[in-house]
């Protein structure tokens, strides 16, 4: 939960905590192929923090190395100077959130739950146990590499000068990760508001509303309420045969 102190936002740790079991993460791709006893050894006894929808959470504490998203979906937010707010990306089950180890002034990041979520806090000593397991560390590297690629695309999107281009790239990025293939196109069911999209592309809500209308008029997007489709440019059956 966040509170304002001296005009600045301070993020507090929610009080609803529990203790992790191996079964809590057995559904994640990160542990696929590992024996139940190994999963228990890697995750058992760790602190689980529950974050309610709309709450913010900052990973802090010298003994905490990272956090694993066990359930739910969260926004990774950047709060810059002059109240400039930006949503860098969305994170979901299986994603790793690293605590900043930078010395001196560092960018201000926090996560905000889009729905009820759970984070498993991983102290330094347990992370050392993680990287000592050769099978698990391969999965961990693959996961972190995918997250780096996601952040790189987010950075490239931010460099696009036109709001329509930034918006189309961001929706495409979200659809690739969270979308579902349908006969009409790739469907994005996140039901994001125009303000949430604006936070992701560094624009004001009014500009996003205008850009969404233009993208719909051009056929780049099909919008029904807050469900978005990206139409196929070519017949996917033809692509599969070529």
């Amino acid at each position: 939960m966040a509170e304002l102190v001296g005009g600045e936002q301070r993020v507090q740790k929610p009080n609803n905590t529990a203790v992790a079991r191996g079964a809590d993460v057995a559904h994640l791709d990160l542990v696929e192929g590992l024996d139940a006893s190994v999963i228990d050894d890697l995750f058992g006894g760790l602190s689980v923090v529950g974050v309610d929808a709309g709450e913010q959470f900052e990973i802090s504490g010298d003994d905490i190395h990272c956090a694993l998203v066990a359930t739910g979906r969260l926004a990774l937010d950047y709060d810059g100077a002059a109240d400039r707010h930006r949503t860098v990306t969305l994170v979901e089950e299986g994603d790793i959130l690293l605590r900043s180890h930078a010395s001196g002034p560092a960018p201000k990041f926090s996560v905000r739950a889009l729905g009820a979520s759970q984070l498993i806090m991983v102290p330094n000593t347990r992370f050392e146990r993680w990287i000592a397991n050769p099978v698990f560390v391969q999965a961990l590297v693959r996961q972190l590499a995918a997250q780096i690629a996601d952040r790189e695309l987010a950075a490239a999107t931010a460099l696009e000068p036109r709001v329509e281009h930034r918006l189309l790239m961001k929706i495409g990025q979200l659809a690739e990760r969270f979308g579902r293939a349908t006969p009409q196109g790739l469907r994005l069911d996140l039901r994001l508001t125009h303000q949430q999209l604006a936070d992701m592309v560094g624009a004001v809500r009014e500009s996003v509303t205008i850009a969404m209308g233009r993208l719909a008029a051009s056929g780049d997007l099909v919008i029904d309420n807050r469900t978005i489709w990206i139409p196929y440019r070519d017949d996917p059956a033809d692509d599969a045969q070529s």
Side-chain angles (χ1 to χ4, degrees), residues 43 46 50 77 140 198 220:
F43 292 92
L46 294 179
D77 291 337
L140 189 62
D220 289 303

Side-chain angles (χ1 to χ4, degrees), residues 19 22 27 72 81 86 88 161 178 192:
V19 176
H27 63 289
R86 185 77 173 264
V88 178
F178 304 109
L192 298 167

Side-chain angles (χ1 to χ4, degrees), residues 158-240:
L159 296 176
E160 281 292 324
R162 294 186 59 183
V163 175
E164 289 99 319
H165 291 169
R166 296 203 303 272
L167 194 56
L168 191 58
M169 289 178 67
K170 175 55 68 176
I171 290 173
Q173 180 185 14
L174 294 172
E176 284 291 331
R177 185 170 186 193
F178 304 109
R180 181 177 303 175
T182 72
Q184 294 77 26
L186 200 57
R187 187 179 73 198
L188 183 62
D189 290 327
L190 292 179
R191 301 184 65 80
L192 298 167
T193 66
H194 285 188
Q195 184 59 61
Q196 288 172 321
L197 288 169
D199 290 341
M200 292 182 188
V201 300
V204 297
R205 180 182 57 80
E206 293 80 3
S207 296
V208 165
T209 299
I210 293 170
M212 290 290 280
R214 290 174 177 169
L215 291 170
S218 66
D220 289 303
L221 298 177
V222 175
I223 305 170
D224 182 6
N225 197 1
R226 281 192 284 167
T227 300
I228 302 171
W229 284 264
I230 302 177
Y232 299 122
R233 287 305 184 187
D234 301 303
D235 188 336
D238 293 340
D239 292 339

Side-chain angles (χ1 to χ4, degrees), residues 137-161:
V137 79
Q138 291 182 45
L140 189 62
V141 169
R142 287 194 298 269
Q143 177 63 41
L144 291 174
Q147 292 181 209
I148 290 171
D150 177 77
R151 307 299 189 272
E152 288 176 341
L153 183 53
T157 299
L159 296 176
E160 281 292 324

Side-chain angles (χ1 to χ4, degrees), residues 46-200:
L46 294 179
S47 176
V48 182
V49 177
V51 188
D52 294 330
E55 279 191 329
Q56 288 180 295
F57 182 74
E58 185 179 84
I59 300 171
S60 59
D62 291 340
D63 62 326
I64 298 299
H65 189 90
C66 63
L68 169 72
V69 182
T71 62
R73 183 173 292 145
L74 307 99
L76 177 62
D77 291 337
Y78 166 71
D79 295 309
D83 295 327
R84 295 184 62 182
H85 172 83
R86 185 77 173 264
T87 297
V88 178
T89 191
L90 302 183
V91 295
E92 64 172 354
E93 296 179 359
D95 282 346
I96 305 292
L97 296 168
L98 298 174
R99 182 176 68 84
S100 174
H101 292 80
S103 58
K108 177 71 171 179
F109 289 98
S110 63
V111 290
R112 173 173 43 85
L114 301 181
S117 304
Q118 289 185 319
L119 301 174
I120 296 178
M121 310 308 295
V122 184
N124 297 318
T125 52
R126 186 62 64 94
F127 189 78
E128 291 175 0
R129 190 185 304 178
W130 279 17
I131 61 177
N133 184 301
V135 176
F136 182 69
V137 79
Q138 291 182 45
L140 189 62
V141 169
R142 287 194 298 269
Q143 177 63 41
L144 291 174
Q147 292 181 209
I148 290 171
D150 177 77
R151 307 299 189 272
E152 288 176 341
L153 183 53
T157 299
L159 296 176
E160 281 292 324
R162 294 186 59 183
V163 175
E164 289 99 319
H165 291 169
R166 296 203 303 272
L167 194 56
L168 191 58
M169 289 178 67
K170 175 55 68 176
I171 290 173
Q173 180 185 14
L174 294 172
E176 284 291 331
R177 185 170 186 193
F178 304 109
R180 181 177 303 175
T182 72
Q184 294 77 26
L186 200 57
R187 187 179 73 198
L188 183 62
D189 290 327
L190 292 179
R191 301 184 65 80
L192 298 167
T193 66
H194 285 188
Q195 184 59 61
Q196 288 172 321
L197 288 169
D199 290 341
M200 292 182 188

